[in-house]
mmCIF file of all heavy atoms in Angstrom:
data_model
loop_
_atom_site.group_PDB
_atom_site.id
_atom_site.type_symbol
_atom_site.label_atom_id
_atom_site.label_comp_id
_atom_site.label_asym_id
_atom_site.label_seq_id
_atom_site.Cartn_x
_atom_site.Cartn_y
_atom_site.Cartn_z
ATOM 1 N N GLU I 33 99.102 15.863 44.365
ATOM 2 C CA GLU I 33 98.116 15.280 45.283
ATOM 3 C C GLU I 33 97.687 16.327 46.296
ATOM 4 O O GLU I 33 98.514 17.138 46.755
ATOM 5 C CB GLU I 33 98.694 14.064 46.012
ATOM 6 C CG GLU I 33 98.875 12.860 45.114
ATOM 7 C CD GLU I 33 99.244 11.614 45.897
ATOM 8 O OE1 GLU I 33 98.702 11.406 47.001
ATOM 9 O OE2 GLU I 33 100.072 10.835 45.391
ATOM 10 N N PHE I 35 96.954 16.479 49.625
ATOM 11 C CA PHE I 35 97.615 16.754 50.911
ATOM 12 C C PHE I 35 99.099 17.077 50.737
ATOM 13 O O PHE I 35 99.722 17.647 51.620
ATOM 14 C CB PHE I 35 97.445 15.558 51.875
ATOM 15 C CG PHE I 35 98.369 14.398 51.602
ATOM 16 C CD1 PHE I 35 99.604 14.312 52.222
ATOM 17 C CD2 PHE I 35 98.016 13.412 50.691
ATOM 18 C CE1 PHE I 35 100.468 13.249 51.964
ATOM 19 C CE2 PHE I 35 98.864 12.349 50.434
ATOM 20 C CZ PHE I 35 100.092 12.262 51.061
ATOM 21 N N ILE I 36 99.659 16.705 49.582
ATOM 22 C CA ILE I 36 101.090 16.946 49.344
ATOM 23 C C ILE I 36 101.307 18.355 48.792
ATOM 24 O O ILE I 36 102.152 19.112 49.275
ATOM 25 C CB ILE I 36 101.665 15.916 48.344
ATOM 26 C CG1 ILE I 36 101.370 14.484 48.794
ATOM 27 C CG2 ILE I 36 103.156 16.149 48.139
ATOM 28 C CD1 ILE I 36 101.821 13.422 47.805
ATOM 29 N N HIS I 132 101.727 6.595 38.241
ATOM 30 C CA HIS I 132 100.863 6.717 39.416
ATOM 31 C C HIS I 132 99.404 6.900 38.996
ATOM 32 O O HIS I 132 98.491 6.550 39.738
ATOM 33 C CB HIS I 132 101.329 7.917 40.245
ATOM 34 C CG HIS I 132 101.331 7.671 41.719
ATOM 35 N ND1 HIS I 132 102.247 6.885 42.355
ATOM 36 C CD2 HIS I 132 100.505 8.119 42.707
ATOM 37 C CE1 HIS I 132 102.001 6.865 43.664
ATOM 38 N NE2 HIS I 132 100.939 7.598 43.888
ATOM 39 N N ASP I 141 91.353 5.656 44.663
ATOM 40 C CA ASP I 141 91.708 6.847 45.433
ATOM 41 C C ASP I 141 92.061 8.082 44.599
ATOM 42 O O ASP I 141 92.313 8.002 43.405
ATOM 43 C CB ASP I 141 92.832 6.504 46.404
ATOM 44 C CG ASP I 141 92.266 5.886 47.688
ATOM 45 O OD1 ASP I 141 91.110 6.185 48.023
ATOM 46 O OD2 ASP I 141 92.959 5.092 48.329
ATOM 47 N N TRP I 142 92.120 9.209 45.286
ATOM 48 C CA TRP I 142 92.400 10.513 44.689
ATOM 49 C C TRP I 142 93.693 10.529 43.878
ATOM 50 O O TRP I 142 93.823 11.255 42.897
ATOM 51 C CB TRP I 142 92.473 11.572 45.805
ATOM 52 C CG TRP I 142 93.708 11.406 46.668
ATOM 53 C CD1 TRP I 142 94.884 12.081 46.516
ATOM 54 C CD2 TRP I 142 93.903 10.489 47.746
ATOM 55 N NE1 TRP I 142 95.804 11.640 47.451
ATOM 56 C CE2 TRP I 142 95.232 10.672 48.218
ATOM 57 C CE3 TRP I 142 93.108 9.552 48.371
ATOM 58 C CZ2 TRP I 142 95.763 9.923 49.267
ATOM 59 C CZ3 TRP I 142 93.637 8.815 49.426
ATOM 60 C CH2 TRP I 142 94.946 9.011 49.857
ATOM 61 N N HIS I 143 94.674 9.684 44.305
ATOM 62 C CA HIS I 143 95.993 9.775 43.667
ATOM 63 C C HIS I 143 96.041 9.160 42.285
ATOM 64 O O HIS I 143 97.047 9.295 41.600
ATOM 65 C CB HIS I 143 97.086 9.200 44.582
ATOM 66 C CG HIS I 143 96.686 7.954 45.308
ATOM 67 N ND1 HIS I 143 96.650 6.746 44.697
ATOM 68 C CD2 HIS I 143 96.275 7.752 46.590
ATOM 69 C CE1 HIS I 143 96.258 5.827 45.594
ATOM 70 N NE2 HIS I 143 96.016 6.420 46.742
ATOM 71 N N ASN I 189 100.908 2.059 39.741
ATOM 72 C CA ASN I 189 100.859 2.226 41.195
ATOM 73 C C ASN I 189 99.558 1.661 41.761
ATOM 74 O O ASN I 189 98.468 1.927 41.236
ATOM 75 C CB ASN I 189 100.938 3.721 41.555
ATOM 76 C CG ASN I 189 100.880 3.937 43.063
ATOM 77 O OD1 ASN I 189 101.746 3.446 43.786
ATOM 78 N ND2 ASN I 189 99.864 4.638 43.555
ATOM 79 N N GLU I 190 99.673 0.889 42.815
ATOM 80 C CA GLU I 190 98.542 0.448 43.639
ATOM 81 C C GLU I 190 97.281 0.079 42.875
ATOM 82 O O GLU I 190 96.232 0.727 43.040
ATOM 83 C CB GLU I 190 98.225 1.527 44.680
ATOM 84 C CG GLU I 190 99.370 1.775 45.617
ATOM 85 C CD GLU I 190 98.992 2.636 46.818
ATOM 86 O OE1 GLU I 190 97.973 3.325 46.778
ATOM 87 O OE2 GLU I 190 99.750 2.592 47.813
ATOM 88 N N PHE I 226 96.341 -1.873 46.610
ATOM 89 C CA PHE I 226 97.310 -0.892 47.127
ATOM 90 C C PHE I 226 98.664 -1.537 47.430
ATOM 91 O O PHE I 226 99.283 -1.252 48.463
ATOM 92 C CB PHE I 226 96.774 -0.203 48.402
ATOM 93 C CG PHE I 226 95.402 0.361 48.284
ATOM 94 C CD1 PHE I 226 94.342 -0.154 49.034
ATOM 95 C CD2 PHE I 226 95.145 1.417 47.416
ATOM 96 C CE1 PHE I 226 93.076 0.374 48.924
ATOM 97 C CE2 PHE I 226 93.866 1.944 47.302
ATOM 98 C CZ PHE I 226 92.825 1.423 48.055
ATOM 99 N N HIS I 248 103.575 -1.935 49.585
ATOM 100 C CA HIS I 248 103.524 -0.617 50.231
ATOM 101 C C HIS I 248 103.200 -0.894 51.687
ATOM 102 O O HIS I 248 102.111 -1.355 52.017
ATOM 103 C CB HIS I 248 102.476 0.288 49.574
ATOM 104 C CG HIS I 248 102.907 0.729 48.207
ATOM 105 N ND1 HIS I 248 102.146 1.552 47.410
ATOM 106 C CD2 HIS I 248 104.035 0.468 47.494
ATOM 107 C CE1 HIS I 248 102.794 1.779 46.266
ATOM 108 N NE2 HIS I 248 103.938 1.116 46.294
ATOM 109 N N TYR I 250 102.519 0.586 54.723
ATOM 110 C CA TYR I 250 102.058 1.595 55.684
ATOM 111 C C TYR I 250 101.584 0.897 56.946
ATOM 112 O O TYR I 250 100.865 -0.097 56.877
ATOM 113 C CB TYR I 250 100.912 2.419 55.088
ATOM 114 C CG TYR I 250 101.385 3.351 53.997
ATOM 115 C CD1 TYR I 250 101.119 3.088 52.659
ATOM 116 C CD2 TYR I 250 102.126 4.482 54.316
ATOM 117 C CE1 TYR I 250 101.570 3.936 51.660
ATOM 118 C CE2 TYR I 250 102.580 5.337 53.323
ATOM 119 C CZ TYR I 250 102.299 5.066 52.001
ATOM 120 O OH TYR I 250 102.750 5.908 51.010
ATOM 121 N N THR I 252 99.434 1.220 60.425
ATOM 122 C CA THR I 252 98.361 2.001 61.051
ATOM 123 C C THR I 252 98.872 2.812 62.256
ATOM 124 O O THR I 252 98.349 3.870 62.576
ATOM 125 C CB THR I 252 97.210 1.034 61.429
ATOM 126 O OG1 THR I 252 96.260 1.741 62.156
ATOM 127 C CG2 THR I 252 97.683 -0.128 62.267
ATOM 128 N N LYS I 279 102.444 -9.146 53.569
ATOM 129 C CA LYS I 279 102.480 -8.553 52.230
ATOM 130 C C LYS I 279 103.525 -9.239 51.348
ATOM 131 O O LYS I 279 103.364 -9.330 50.140
ATOM 132 C CB LYS I 279 102.784 -7.055 52.327
ATOM 133 C CG LYS I 279 101.621 -6.259 52.891
ATOM 134 C CD LYS I 279 101.992 -4.814 53.147
ATOM 135 C CE LYS I 279 100.977 -4.178 54.071
ATOM 136 N NZ LYS I 279 101.507 -3.224 55.000
ATOM 137 N N GLU I 294 106.542 2.135 49.027
ATOM 138 C CA GLU I 294 105.957 3.244 49.807
ATOM 139 C C GLU I 294 105.772 2.792 51.237
ATOM 140 O O GLU I 294 105.308 1.679 51.490
ATOM 141 C CB GLU I 294 104.573 3.648 49.271
ATOM 142 C CG GLU I 294 104.587 4.603 48.124
ATOM 143 C CD GLU I 294 103.186 5.025 47.696
ATOM 144 O OE1 GLU I 294 102.304 5.193 48.568
ATOM 145 O OE2 GLU I 294 102.975 5.183 46.484
ATOM 146 N N TRP I 337 107.688 7.292 51.575
ATOM 147 C CA TRP I 337 106.774 8.299 51.053
ATOM 148 C C TRP I 337 106.823 9.434 52.042
ATOM 149 O O TRP I 337 106.345 9.255 53.150
ATOM 150 C CB TRP I 337 105.371 7.691 50.955
ATOM 151 C CG TRP I 337 104.406 8.455 50.091
ATOM 152 C CD1 TRP I 337 103.315 9.145 50.519
ATOM 153 C CD2 TRP I 337 104.432 8.566 48.666
ATOM 154 N NE1 TRP I 337 102.658 9.686 49.449
ATOM 155 C CE2 TRP I 337 103.331 9.355 48.296
ATOM 156 C CE3 TRP I 337 105.304 8.120 47.659
ATOM 157 C CZ2 TRP I 337 103.059 9.677 46.972
ATOM 158 C CZ3 TRP I 337 105.030 8.439 46.345
ATOM 159 C CH2 TRP I 337 103.916 9.211 46.014
ATOM 160 N N TRP I 375 94.008 11.103 53.269
ATOM 161 C CA TRP I 375 95.277 10.586 53.808
ATOM 162 C C TRP I 375 95.544 11.134 55.214
ATOM 163 O O TRP I 375 95.713 12.337 55.388
ATOM 164 C CB TRP I 375 96.424 10.948 52.870
ATOM 165 C CG TRP I 375 97.684 10.183 53.117
ATOM 166 C CD1 TRP I 375 98.917 10.704 53.353
ATOM 167 C CD2 TRP I 375 97.851 8.763 53.113
ATOM 168 N NE1 TRP I 375 99.830 9.697 53.499
ATOM 169 C CE2 TRP I 375 99.198 8.487 53.363
ATOM 170 C CE3 TRP I 375 96.969 7.682 52.924
ATOM 171 C CZ2 TRP I 375 99.713 7.187 53.430
ATOM 172 C CZ3 TRP I 375 97.473 6.393 52.997
ATOM 173 C CH2 TRP I 375 98.833 6.167 53.244
ATOM 174 N N VAL I 409 90.326 -3.685 53.817
ATOM 175 C CA VAL I 409 91.236 -2.536 53.923
ATOM 176 C C VAL I 409 90.410 -1.263 54.176
ATOM 177 O O VAL I 409 90.767 -0.423 54.986
ATOM 178 C CB VAL I 409 92.103 -2.401 52.649
ATOM 179 C CG1 VAL I 409 92.886 -1.114 52.648
ATOM 180 C CG2 VAL I 409 93.039 -3.589 52.527
ATOM 181 N N TRP I 410 89.303 -1.132 53.466
ATOM 182 C CA TRP I 410 88.367 -0.039 53.761
ATOM 183 C C TRP I 410 87.249 -0.606 54.610
ATOM 184 O O TRP I 410 86.502 -1.484 54.161
ATOM 185 C CB TRP I 410 87.743 0.493 52.467
ATOM 186 C CG TRP I 410 88.585 1.453 51.700
ATOM 187 C CD1 TRP I 410 89.926 1.683 51.846
ATOM 188 C CD2 TRP I 410 88.141 2.301 50.642
ATOM 189 N NE1 TRP I 410 90.336 2.619 50.939
ATOM 190 C CE2 TRP I 410 89.274 3.014 50.188
ATOM 191 C CE3 TRP I 410 86.923 2.536 50.032
ATOM 192 C CZ2 TRP I 410 89.201 3.952 49.147
ATOM 193 C CZ3 TRP I 410 86.848 3.442 48.998
ATOM 194 C CH2 TRP I 410 87.977 4.164 48.566
ATOM 195 N N ARG I 418 84.650 8.876 54.417
ATOM 196 C CA ARG I 418 85.793 9.171 53.562
ATOM 197 C C ARG I 418 85.361 9.647 52.178
ATOM 198 O O ARG I 418 85.829 10.666 51.664
ATOM 199 C CB ARG I 418 86.631 7.890 53.453
ATOM 200 C CG ARG I 418 87.818 7.978 52.527
ATOM 201 C CD ARG I 418 88.509 6.629 52.508
ATOM 202 N NE ARG I 418 89.550 6.584 51.527
ATOM 203 C CZ ARG I 418 90.790 6.189 51.781
ATOM 204 N NH1 ARG I 418 91.128 5.806 52.979
ATOM 205 N NH2 ARG I 418 91.683 6.177 50.819
HETATM 206 O O1 LIG W 501 100.040 8.412 46.230
HETATM 207 C C1 LIG W 501 100.058 7.831 47.495
HETATM 208 C C2 LIG W 501 99.396 6.484 47.418
HETATM 209 O O2 LIG W 501 100.157 5.605 46.593
HETATM 210 C C3 LIG W 501 99.138 5.887 48.800
HETATM 211 O O3 LIG W 501 97.974 5.125 48.689
HETATM 212 C C4 LIG W 501 97.390 4.642 49.881
HETATM 213 C C5 LIG W 501 98.155 3.442 50.401
HETATM 214 O O4 LIG W 501 97.550 2.938 51.524
HETATM 215 C C6 LIG W 501 96.179 2.562 51.388
HETATM 216 O O5 LIG W 501 95.722 2.188 52.638
HETATM 217 C C7 LIG W 501 96.508 1.217 53.323
HETATM 218 C C8 LIG W 501 95.977 -0.141 52.939
HETATM 219 O O6 LIG W 501 96.612 -1.137 53.734
HETATM 220 C C9 LIG W 501 96.463 -0.950 55.142
HETATM 221 O O7 LIG W 501 97.100 -2.030 55.805
HETATM 222 C C10 LIG W 501 97.118 0.357 55.568
HETATM 223 O O8 LIG W 501 96.966 0.558 56.966
HETATM 224 C C11 LIG W 501 96.449 1.505 54.791
HETATM 225 O O9 LIG W 501 97.176 2.695 55.048
HETATM 226 C C12 LIG W 501 95.343 3.734 50.897
HETATM 227 O O10 LIG W 501 93.994 3.355 50.694
HETATM 228 C C13 LIG W 501 95.947 4.273 49.620
HETATM 229 O O11 LIG W 501 95.261 5.425 49.215
HETATM 230 O O12 LIG W 501 98.849 6.830 49.791
HETATM 231 C C14 LIG W 501 99.476 8.068 49.863
HETATM 232 C C15 LIG W 501 99.374 8.709 48.525
HETATM 233 O O13 LIG W 501 99.949 9.970 48.599
#
Side-chain angles (χ1 to χ4, degrees):
E33 289 189 39
F35 78 91
I36 306 176
H132 222 73
D141 276 333
W142 70 96
H143 40 77
N189 180 61
E190 298 191 341
F226 309 115
H248 289 180
Y250 289 106
T252 173
K279 289 173 197 144
E294 276 183 37
W337 196 249
W375 195 235
V409 171
W410 279 16
R418 176 181 173 129

